[in-house]
Amino acid sequence: MTTRTIQFQVGNTDRHVTGLLNCPAHARLIYVMGHGAGAGMRHPFLHSIAERLAAHRIGTLRYQFPYMEAERKSPDSPATLEATVQGAIDKAMHEAPDLPIIAGGKSLGGRITSMIAAKTPKPPFQGLVFLGYPLHAPNKPGTKRAEHLSRIDVPMLFLQGTRDSLAQLDLLRPIIKRLAPLATMHVVEGGDHSFKVLKRSGRTDEEVMSELVDAIAAWSRDVGLI
């Protein structure tokens, strides 16, 4: 199995960004993963998710947003972010035309993908997986970022930590309940927004990563994608 570097175009512009395609032999599914606001596609978290999903015969396409590619700190405009997500999905469809696609990613990457799904009656992917949905700004509770989720008509998996300062679970749980049966949440006990747990929990980062990937694989089976 080899991770291959690819490039794709951002919308109708002359800009191109880089992606990392990791598609194991006999893959059953491919997950298009956007990165979070502060770390790119090569962050150890996304690398570990990709490697572990490969063991479940789930391929991944990680990719950069233009601002991260250019080593800028401020995210691009929503239109540019959405065009990048769409370009990544189109690239996955080209590279693995016979595989079903799930999309989403870490924090910002997942939220932007959900906005595309809400605008598209028949999105070109069969499910959404959020690795820490950013429901609100850090320690500023609110639900405005969830208003569009009711317009999505594909299955959604929310992977959330109980210590996530960007998603208070007492606010997110009622939203998931309203979105059911399309929405499912897997809670990582003690996890923060990066799914880090405290040492006193007695759990390791490796155990948490395995839990996340096992949850994605189980959900994929439950919704009939693998």
Side-chain angles (χ1 to χ4, degrees), residues 42-212:
R42 291 183 174 86
H43 189 275
F45 175 83
L46 290 183
H47 174 78
S48 181
I49 290 286
E51 291 293 309
R52 291 167 182 272
L53 283 174
H56 289 272
R57 293 169 54 194
I58 297 175
T60 52
L61 173 58
R62 293 174 274 159
Y63 60 92
Q64 299 277 71
F65 287 113
Y67 78 95
M68 189 64 67
E69 189 93 320
E71 299 183 351
R72 299 193 308 267
K73 292 185 178 180
S74 298
D76 304 292
S77 68
T80 297
L81 294 173
E82 290 184 23
T84 307
V85 173
Q86 188 62 61
I89 292 167
D90 291 345
K91 186 66 173 178
M93 293 172 65
H94 174 77
E95 295 286 341
D98 298 326
L99 294 181
I101 293 173
I102 55 176
K106 184 76 186 80
S107 197
L108 172 71
R111 183 167 71 90
I112 296 299
T113 308
S114 73
M115 294 168 69
I116 290 177
K119 296 176 181 178
T120 310
K122 292 183 179 180
F125 43 84
Q126 288 72 52
L128 289 166
V129 174
F130 304 111
L131 296 164
Y133 188 84
L135 184 61
H136 48 74
N139 300 310
K140 293 183 179 180
T143 59
K144 186 174 178 62
R145 291 181 182 176
E147 291 176 354
H148 66 287
L149 297 177
S150 61
R151 299 195 296 274
I152 296 174
D153 61 0
V154 297
M156 294 171 273
L157 173 63
F158 293 76
L159 297 149
Q160 304 289 151
T162 57
R163 296 190 302 117
D164 190 340
S165 62
L166 277 69
Q168 289 190 6
L169 291 187
D170 60 345
L171 296 178
L172 187 56
R173 280 194 172 101
I175 294 169
I176 301 295
K177 185 176 181 179
R178 288 196 297 272
L179 295 173
L182 283 177
T184 304
M185 182 163 64
H186 178 89
V187 174
V188 176
E189 187 62 38
D192 63 10
H193 190 60
S194 298
F195 297 102
K196 295 289 187 180
V197 294
L198 299 173
K199 287 185 178 180
R200 65 171 180 263
S201 71
R203 304 181 69 201
T204 66
D205 290 341
E206 294 291 308
E207 289 172 335
V208 172
M209 295 302 296
S210 292
E211 178 183 345
L212 291 171

